[in-house]
Amino acid sequence: MDVYTLLIQLLNGVQYGLLLFLVASGLTLIFGIMGIINLAHGSFYMIGAYMAFTLSSLTGSLFAAIVLGVILSVLLGAFLEWALFSHLYKRDHLEQVLLTYGLILIFEELRSLVVGNDVHGVPVPALFDHSIPLGPTLTYPVWRLFMSGVCLAIAAGMYVLIQRTRLGMMIRAGASNREMVQSLGLNIGLVYRLVFALGVALAAFAGMLAAPVSSVYPGMGTQVLIICFVVVVIGGIGSVWGALAAALLIGLVDTFGKVFVPEYAGVAIYVLMAAILLWRPEGLFRRT
């Protein structure tokens, strides 16, 4: 393998890891901070991809579809938290699992009724529909670089939100001691609603970004959900920065595993998870 091919695989691994972070950061907010085991989180990724396909077909612009899709996903997250998840905070985890698994079935059936079961493609916007040269014969798509840049910008924005704003302070306080925050007069219910809506929007946004690269197909949320739980466990439950480190690590291991040892690539990330948990059972980072 020459240096240019190695560079392309490195960029692919980083891009895949950053996309995983975008989905997993929403999951770690909901799972790690709110204490909700949300098996339907992968469905929000699927919903985002299908919204990109449907809305871009209607508007003729993927960027317009993304803006509308983010707004709709925030509203969907706020509604689901108000109607369903707000009743689960003090319930047993089994009830959370049953509810969120039921949501997976509902979303899949609605997807089948509204859009159908075909595989769909989403065109890359004309502005980014070209490649940059890497070496004499190899090129790399600009859209993938754009995806990585957007994911890094969102990671920086989440750092500012959680560590440098009043809302972030309330989120961290609510994660540590919900009852104490309530006794101080803060509306922790509203904070949790915003956190859940943010988590849904992040997953849906990741699906919109990935739609031109991975296509849009039934059941696409299930695969990403399993990997995102691995990211959350490796990074440390409740740690956004742990999710970022773990997602990048998994992206690189999965990408290079498929290149060098394709027959074992399917288990590489789980071997990595087992090794890290043997070394640090709490994950790479503690809760943010």
Side-chain angles (χ1 to χ4, degrees), residues 3-288:
V3 66
Y4 299 110
T5 304
L6 185 65
L7 177 59
I8 287 178
Q9 297 303 329
L10 178 62
L11 289 173
N12 284 337
V14 170
Q15 180 263 307
Y16 178 50
L18 289 172
L19 188 69
L20 280 180
F21 163 73
L22 206 57
V23 186
S25 59
L27 182 62
T28 199
L29 286 173
I30 296 171
F31 182 32
I33 293 178
M34 300 171 62
I36 296 292
I37 299 177
N38 182 18
L39 297 184
H41 194 73
S43 296
F44 301 137
Y45 174 82
M46 178 195 70
I47 289 172
Y50 273 94
M51 282 197 296
F53 165 70
T54 304
L55 294 175
S56 63
S57 300
L58 294 174
T59 63
S61 169
L62 179 59
F63 292 120
I66 289 176
V67 172
L68 291 174
V70 168
I71 294 172
L72 290 174
S73 60
V74 168
L75 294 176
L76 173 65
F79 171 76
L80 289 175
E81 196 281 338
W82 169 77
L84 300 175
F85 289 88
S86 61
H87 306 288
L88 294 178
Y89 296 132
K90 296 184 179 180
R91 300 287 188 89
D92 186 82
H93 286 319
L94 177 60
E95 296 182 48
Q96 300 173 5
V97 169
L98 292 175
L99 173 65
T100 53
Y101 181 72
L103 284 177
I104 294 175
L105 301 180
I106 292 172
F107 288 142
E108 285 289 344
E109 188 63 27
L110 287 175
R111 185 265 314 146
S112 179
L113 292 172
V114 174
V115 187
N117 297 316
D118 295 330
V119 177
H120 302 283
V122 177
V124 175
L127 180 63
F128 298 97
D129 192 14
H130 57 277
S131 302
I132 60 172
L134 291 178
T137 59
L138 299 175
T139 61
Y140 196 78
V142 172
W143 179 254
R144 287 182 177 267
L145 295 175
F146 173 75
M147 289 172 60
S148 298
V150 170
C151 292
L152 287 172
I154 290 178
M158 290 184 66
Y159 171 79
V160 173
L161 173 66
I162 294 175
Q163 301 292 342
R164 295 289 185 265
T165 66
R166 180 177 176 84
L167 175 60
M169 180 181 65
M170 290 189 289
I171 291 173
R172 287 182 281 118
S176 299
N177 195 323
R178 177 186 173 99
E179 289 73 19
M180 179 63 73
V181 171
Q182 286 178 312
S183 68
L184 293 174
L186 296 177
N187 189 346
I188 191 62
L190 178 59
V191 173
Y192 274 24
R193 190 159 303 156
L194 291 173
V195 169
F196 191 86
L198 175 62
V200 171
L202 287 170
F205 182 65
M208 296 176 210
L209 281 180
V213 175
S214 63
S215 298
V216 181
Y217 54 92
M220 62 186 298
T222 303
Q223 181 180 7
V224 76
L225 173 69
I226 297 172
I227 299 177
C228 283
F229 267 113
V230 174
V231 170
V232 171
V233 170
I234 290 178
I237 296 175
S239 172
V240 175
W241 319 125
L244 176 59
L248 288 172
L249 189 58
I250 287 175
L252 293 172
V253 168
D254 183 69
T255 300
F256 283 103
K258 290 176 180 177
V259 173
F260 293 111
V261 283
E263 62 274 19
Y264 300 109
V267 300
I269 61 174
Y270 304 106
V271 172
L272 173 67
M273 179 178 69
I276 289 178
L277 292 182
L278 285 173
W279 169 51
R280 288 179 64 87
E282 70 277 14
L284 295 176
F285 290 78
R286 295 180 180 180
R287 176 176 296 187
T288 301

